[in-house]
Amino acid sequence: MIKKKFFPSRLATQTFAFLLFGFVLIQAAGLFIFNTYFTLSAGRASIAEVSAEVVRFTTLVKVVGIQDLPTIIRTLPKRGLKVSIASSPLENAQLLFATEPELLRTMVRDNPDQLSLSMPLADSRWLNISIYRAEHPWLFSGFIASIVVLTIAILMLCLWAVQRLAMPVEQLGVAAKRFGKDMNAPPMPTDGPIEVRELGEAFNEMQARLKRLITDRTQMLAAISHDLRTPITRLKLRAENIKDKVQYKKTVEDLNVMDQMIGSILAFARDYDQEEPMEKFDLNALVETLIAELIDLGYDVKSHLSIERLPFFGRLLPLKRAISNLIENSIKYGKNTEVSLSVTDAQVVIKIADEGPGIPENEKEKVFSPFYRVDPARSPDIVGTGLGLSVARDIIRSHGGEIVLKNKKPCGLVALVTLPLESE
Ligand SMILES: Nc1ncnc2c1ncn2[C@@H]1O[C@H](COP(=O)(O)OP(=O)(O)O)[C@@H](O)[C@H]1O
Ligand SMILES: [Mg+2]
């Protein structure tokens, strides 16, 4: 856990961190090598060198004419000294009136790192010599500045490259997520390096194929169900000829159940229709109307919908069917239905609770399979096809949400629907 906190989790940040680490390491190694060898070979002037130069420049004054002196001083190489001609001596300088080499050498030896010397010239100006034996001869501001500029330039380049490489992966993630919710999501952009382009194209192809597959299967299911309706109607007519009253009644009942099943399969195919557009609507109002409609039909449903307006982006009709499937179940199988709606952490939670028999623990997952019903003998009068929960889960999941069923103490079932709220 702690490790996670310090280690970047995004691909771009991770790559950038690696590059940064590598770059800093290389720079540090470079500087170390540079410092060691540059200082040894070309850096710090020795005391003997410096004193020899002091002697050379002071002697120069005696042999060169005053008018040529500045040019010659400028052109001569200097190691560990600064030499200039000025109208006044240096501050805190030792004034030189005698220039015996031995004396000069002693002066330098006594104070080898910080020594300023000023010597009067014939035209009342001064020859100023200051000794500086830099500890890190390479550590001058130009060098530092160029390293800083270079570092910033390389880091910017890395940042750009890393972002460019990581962006398609992020886009793929977004596209996959969107496709999970909306089969009509636009294809992902296919530009960038060849590998990325191929990945994008493969993803788009997969999306198109999946969409075709699901649409074909759903249409087939709807077509078969639809065609079954005609023979069932014919059978109902033929059943009129059955003389035995009991047999007649049972046959018609069976045919009605078949008809109902076909009705729900058709409804399922309709809900599954991913062409249903995503739209913005008030989820709170949707649940409110659903409950009002059921109350109008004479059912007893309590509700706690505290939130005023809850803008939601999704498929209106399928969502309505999913929630009404759950509420209808709790009315059919239980009593004292209570519906509540709340918002937490960018999630809507819809809770549908009843005081019915609940569902045995080992069947709580099975009831989500199509056509699965908990032992129909338990409630023989309640007609159903076993499609309601599987349809509801499909719809909720296609919105990025989830349904869970929980048994309640002392009795009853709670269906918890969570739906992510998106900022889109
Ligand atoms: N609120 C509930 N209380 C008890 N049992 C339930 C409840 N909701 C669903 N069930 C059980 O789960 C089964 C599957 O439900 P569903 O998929 O809606 O199909 P159907 O309602 O058509 O039977 C139901 O047959 C029922 O046994
Ligand atoms: Mg049902």
Side-chain angles (χ1 to χ4, degrees):
M1 280 289 126
I2 295 168
K3 207 171 145 197
K4 251 193 184 148
K5 204 167 145 195
F6 292 106
F7 200 73
S9 55
R10 298 187 80 84
L11 177 65
T13 342
Q14 248 178 40
T15 320
F16 186 68
F18 279 130
L19 283 175
L20 188 71
F21 179 70
F23 187 69
V24 167
L25 210 69
I26 289 176
Q27 282 286 34
L31 276 182
F32 175 75
I33 293 168
F34 195 67
N35 186 23
T36 313
Y37 294 100
F38 192 78
T39 310
L40 276 185
S41 64
R44 203 162 154 83
S46 68
I47 295 174
E49 272 177 303
V50 172
S51 43
E53 288 196 21
V54 171
V55 173
R56 187 180 322 135
F57 281 105
T58 46
T59 335
L60 205 64
V61 173
K62 287 185 221 149
V63 292
V64 176
I66 191 90
Q67 60 277 55
D68 298 330
L69 202 57
T71 332
I72 292 177
I73 286 179
R74 213 174 320 122
T75 43
L76 275 178
K78 308 164 198 77
R79 257 174 65 72
L81 309 177
K82 258 190 213 151
V83 184
S84 61
I85 291 177
S87 53
S88 55
L90 289 170
E91 237 179 89
N92 306 326
Q94 300 201 22
L95 303 183
L96 280 184
F97 295 101
T99 56
E100 279 87 45
E102 203 38 57
L103 174 79
L104 288 171
R105 274 189 216 110
T106 327
M107 283 171 88
V108 172
R109 213 174 305 122
D110 289 349
N111 221 338
D113 288 325
Q114 275 175 323
L115 183 64
S116 303
L117 300 169
S118 290
M119 181 182 164
L121 296 177
D123 59 354
S124 76
R125 287 194 295 171
W126 294 81
L127 174 77
N128 290 334
I129 299 175
S130 57
I131 294 175
Y132 71 98
R133 297 192 321 126
E135 264 200 64
H136 302 284
W138 47 269
L139 199 69
F140 51 94
S141 55
F143 183 75
I144 303 288
S146 57
I147 285 198
V148 169
V149 169
L150 193 75
T151 308
I152 292 177
I154 290 182
L155 288 186
M156 301 249 283
L157 202 71
C158 286
L159 202 65
W160 174 79
V162 162
Q163 290 236 312
R164 198 180 137 76
L165 281 178
M167 199 163 58
V169 182
E170 273 169 32
Q171 272 176 348
L172 186 68
V174 172
K177 222 178 193 171
R178 202 171 345 131
F179 180 50
K181 289 186 194 173
D182 180 7
M183 209 155 276
N184 294 311
M188 67 174 284
T190 47
D191 43 17
I194 290 184
E195 292 85 348
V196 171
R197 228 162 34 215
E198 282 175 356
L199 185 68
E201 278 162 11
F203 180 83
N204 289 342
E205 211 171 284
M206 181 194 77
Q207 173 168 343
R209 248 194 247 164
L210 262 176
K211 191 181 157 188
R212 227 179 303 131
L213 184 80
I214 292 178
T215 320
D216 287 356
R217 291 286 151 91
T218 321
Q219 272 173 0
M220 193 169 82
L221 191 67
I224 296 173
S225 315
H226 184 263
D227 288 357
L228 275 175
R229 281 223 147 135
T230 325
I232 288 175
T233 318
R234 277 206 302 266
L235 276 175
K236 273 188 197 164
L237 287 174
R238 297 225 173 106
E240 313 250 320
N241 296 329
I242 298 175
K243 297 280 173 320
D244 186 334
K245 280 254 167 67
V246 180
Q247 286 304 320
Y248 168 73
K249 201 171 159 257
K250 282 187 174 167
T251 310
V252 171
E253 266 172 20
D254 279 349
L255 288 171
N256 281 341
V257 169
M258 278 168 85
D259 212 21
Q260 263 178 5
M261 283 172 95
I262 283 169
S264 17
I265 294 173
L266 284 173
F268 168 78
R270 210 174 35 243
D271 289 334
Y272 216 92
D273 190 358
Q274 294 274 351
E275 300 299 328
E276 182 81 41
M278 299 278 279
E279 59 187 303
K280 204 163 197 162
F281 55 87
D282 182 356
L283 188 59
N284 195 52
L286 176 114
V287 179
E288 217 168 9
T289 1
L290 257 177
I291 294 170
E293 280 169 14
L294 287 166
I295 291 175
D296 281 350
L297 288 174
Y299 296 110
D300 169 32
V301 182
K302 286 198 191 62
S303 62
H304 309 279
L305 312 172
S306 52
I307 305 135
E308 289 291 291
R309 250 180 64 79
L310 183 55
F312 188 82
F313 190 70
R315 282 181 291 274
L316 175 68
L317 287 179
L319 259 184
K320 191 170 172 182
R321 171 165 293 270
I323 299 168
S324 81
N325 278 354
L326 295 172
I327 302 180
E328 276 165 17
N329 273 356
S330 74
I331 292 173
K332 264 195 330 191
Y333 301 102
K335 54 181 194 293
N336 299 339
T337 301
E338 269 189 49
V339 181
S340 68
L341 192 150
S342 58
V343 178
T344 44
D345 304 336
Q347 266 196 338
V348 190
V349 181
I350 304 170
K351 200 167 128 186
I352 298 131
D354 64 50
E355 288 172 4
I359 294 178
E361 285 300 318
N362 60 339
E363 305 212 52
K364 272 192 341 203
E365 258 316 300
K366 288 188 199 153
V367 289
F368 285 106
S369 322
F371 304 109
Y372 188 88
R373 306 191 69 208
V374 178
D375 184 15
R378 193 167 76 150
S379 41
D381 304 333
I382 304 174
V383 276
T385 51
L387 270 177
L389 284 176
S390 77
V391 168
R393 180 176 261 186
D394 250 357
I395 295 170
I396 298 299
R397 283 191 173 167
S398 79
H399 283 82
E402 189 52 279
I403 303 184
V404 258
L405 300 178
K406 283 184 184 155
N407 281 316
K408 212 175 74 175
K409 291 243 161 65
C411 66
L413 189 81
V414 182
L416 269 182
V417 177
T418 45
L419 282 165
L421 277 175
E422 271 195 23
S423 46
E424 271 176 274

